[in-house]
Amino acid sequence: MATSLGANTYNRQNWEDAICARPFTVFRWCPGTRMRFKKTEVCQTCSKMKNVCQTCLLDLEYGLPIQVRDTGLDIKDDVPKSDVNKEYYTQNAEREIGNSDGTRPVGLLGKAPSSSEMLLKLARTTPYYKRNRPHICSFWVKGECKRGEECPYRHEKPTDPDDPLADQNIKDRYYGINDPVADKLLKRASTMPRLDTPEDKTITTLYVGGMGDTISDAELRNHFYQFGEIRTTTIVQRQQCAFIQFATRQAAELAAEKSFNKLIINGRRLTVKWGRSQAARGKEAYQDGVSEMGTRLDPVPGLPGALPPPPALEEDVPTNYFNLDPGTSPNVMNISLPPPPGINPPPPGFGAPMFHMGSMGPPPPMGMRPPGHIHYPSQDPQRMGAHAARHGD
């Protein structure tokens, strides 16, 4: 018998708070040196209904709390909590367990999918020995423990009382409700990276990064050929990556699902992502500032920002390049251009060069030019020797 309804108030309290009220043999043992004693909490029938350990009440396949397992498998197994309904439910489950071969769980859990991606990532594959540590000595916390090193309890500072993990209830763990450990694992699962399938159904290429120099084309094909027909395999040694193109979209989706965060070749964990089209890759690189390999590029200081787009062309834009008054539109305009720097202006009477701005055609012929004084360079009074020659005459 697990507990009895005796006159002992302590035993009566334990019997009322127990998860399983059915009679079963309670085993109690110490798992090792400096460990706390452990005991079975539920009977075999209750443990088989939930497929959990009789002591820690964790799932036997994944080593996770029941609340996490039911969330990953998308099931809701409502076990009755009242004595009469729970006994009837347990009897039916016990009959179903007796008719099965015992290799698979019964009830809704036996009808659930065989595995879940989230559960495989969260599953514990190594022993967790901290679970067997003794409890904290309450006398040591108050400064009254006199056992010293012989005390079987831990002499450590207790955790923050506001910490959710400090308030755990084994009954809530069995029923899969309000479990702080499960809430912590579910939050971790929500922040884990995942590979979203692109909406473009024409993309059938997977990007494999972090290859190094030791992984060959044959080794990649040996892994990916199991998911479907491979059309091409391209290895870029300079970037230490490869592109695997499948013949069908279904094969590419299966390969991405089975290889994301799980692909290890020659002891190297490889990165698996979906390939992108050229248009999407260029657009995302421009908007997000990332390279074609997916690495984010840091801005270079000192470079100008993006240039503004050119203004739209308008047909009614005026072609007044010289900012002239639109009210005056002479047919012929003479504009005197200043001489270049370092060159003296022309002598008086020579005049400035004249430009015909009306029709922008060739200058008029020599016979049609207006009469005026013709200047000869030899008659320039500022010319060297001209003054002396004049006095000599």
Side-chain angles (χ1 to χ4, degrees), residues 162-180:
D162 297 334
D163 187 4
L165 298 179
D167 186 15
Q168 300 185 28
N169 191 338
I170 195 170
K171 204 169 186 179
D172 292 340
R173 174 167 296 178
Y174 179 79
Y175 290 107
I177 55 174
N178 301 327
D179 189 354

Side-chain angles (χ1 to χ4, degrees), residues 67-69 71-72 118 122 181-191:
Q67 184 177 349
V68 178
R69 182 201 62 191
T71 303
M118 182 189 72
L122 296 177
V181 178
D183 294 338
K184 179 181 178 181
L185 293 175
L186 291 176
K187 290 180 181 179
R188 182 191 303 176
S190 62
T191 58

Side-chain angles (χ1 to χ4, degrees), residues 31-37 129-137 151-156:
T33 307
R34 305 293 297 178
M35 299 293 180
R36 65 182 175 91
F37 280 86
Y129 295 109
K130 289 185 178 180
R131 191 183 298 120
N132 301 330
R133 295 186 303 172
H135 297 292
I136 295 177
C137 180
C151 182
Y153 299 97
R154 285 187 295 159
H155 288 184
E156 296 179 5

Side-chain angles (χ1 to χ4, degrees), residues 2-244:
T3 51
S4 61
L5 286 176
N8 193 329
T9 307
Y10 176 77
N11 289 338
R12 181 180 301 176
Q13 183 180 2
N14 289 347
W15 179 83
E16 292 176 352
D17 296 340
I19 301 173
C20 180
R22 297 167 61 87
F24 67 97
T25 304
V26 177
F27 294 93
R28 185 174 182 270
W29 73 98
C30 183
T33 307
R34 305 293 297 178
M35 299 293 180
R36 65 182 175 91
F37 280 86
K38 309 184 72 174
K39 66 182 183 67
T40 52
E41 303 289 345
V42 295
C43 65
Q44 291 188 9
T45 304
C46 292
S47 65
K48 290 180 181 179
M49 286 192 307
K50 291 284 190 175
N51 192 34
V52 296
C53 173
Q54 288 184 258
T55 303
C56 62
L57 302 184
L58 298 178
D59 184 77
L60 294 177
E61 184 177 356
Y62 302 102
L64 299 173
I66 297 176
Q67 184 177 349
V68 178
R69 182 201 62 191
D70 293 350
T71 303
L73 298 178
D74 197 14
I75 61 175
K76 188 176 182 181
D77 191 6
D78 294 330
V79 178
K81 297 182 181 180
S82 63
D83 295 338
V84 178
N85 293 336
K86 185 178 180 180
E87 182 64 24
Y88 176 75
Y89 182 87
T90 306
Q91 290 179 1
N92 294 337
E94 193 172 20
R95 188 181 303 110
E96 186 178 356
I97 292 173
N99 296 332
S100 64
D101 57 356
T103 58
R104 288 186 56 84
V106 296
L108 294 178
L109 185 59
K111 301 176 183 179
S114 58
S115 63
S116 172
E117 187 71 21
M118 182 189 72
L119 297 180
L120 292 176
K121 294 179 181 179
L122 296 177
R124 185 179 297 276
T125 58
T126 57
Y128 186 65
Y129 295 109
K130 289 185 178 180
R131 191 183 298 120
N132 301 330
R133 295 186 303 172
H135 297 292
I136 295 177
C137 180
S138 59
F139 289 89
W140 182 86
V141 175
K142 295 183 294 183
E144 300 177 359
C145 183
K146 300 179 181 180
R147 294 184 179 183
E149 296 181 356
E150 297 180 358
C151 182
Y153 299 97
R154 285 187 295 159
H155 288 184
E156 296 179 5
K157 183 180 179 181
T159 58
D160 186 5
D162 297 334
D163 187 4
L165 298 179
D167 186 15
Q168 300 185 28
N169 191 338
I170 195 170
K171 204 169 186 179
D172 292 340
R173 174 167 296 178
Y174 179 79
Y175 290 107
I177 55 174
N178 301 327
D179 189 354
V181 178
D183 294 338
K184 179 181 178 181
L185 293 175
L186 291 176
K187 290 180 181 179
R188 182 191 303 176
S190 62
T191 58
M192 294 178 65
R194 61 180 182 179
L195 186 62
D196 297 330
T197 304
E199 298 180 358
D200 190 358
K201 299 298 182 180
T202 61
I203 298 178
T204 59
T205 304
L206 295 181
Y207 164 82
V208 182
M211 293 178 50
D213 301 331
T214 59
I215 300 177
S216 61
D217 179 88
E219 293 173 335
L220 288 176
R221 288 182 174 269
N222 290 339
H223 171 76
F224 285 101
Y225 86 96
Q226 57 182 322
F227 306 113
E229 180 183 356
I230 299 177
R231 182 171 297 173
T232 58
T233 302
T234 306
I235 297 180
V236 184
Q237 292 292 350
R238 183 178 180 180
Q239 304 294 340
Q240 295 185 354
C241 65
F243 296 91
I244 313 297

Side-chain angles (χ1 to χ4, degrees), residues 258-271:
K258 299 296 182 180
S259 303
F260 179 68
N261 278 351
K262 292 179 289 187
L263 179 57
I264 299 177
I265 299 179
N266 292 344
R268 297 181 64 91
R269 181 178 293 275
L270 306 182
T271 303

Side-chain angles (χ1 to χ4, degrees), residues 314-369:
E314 299 180 1
E315 298 180 357
D316 55 348
V317 176
T319 57
N320 188 4
Y321 303 108
F322 298 96
N323 297 326
L324 302 178
D325 187 5
T328 59
S329 56
N331 294 331
V332 178
M333 300 179 63
N334 296 329
I335 301 179
S336 300
L337 299 179
I343 301 179
N344 296 328
F350 185 79
M354 310 297 291
F355 296 94
H356 189 72
M357 298 298 295
S359 60
M360 299 301 292
M366 294 295 294
M368 300 181 61
R369 292 182 180 178

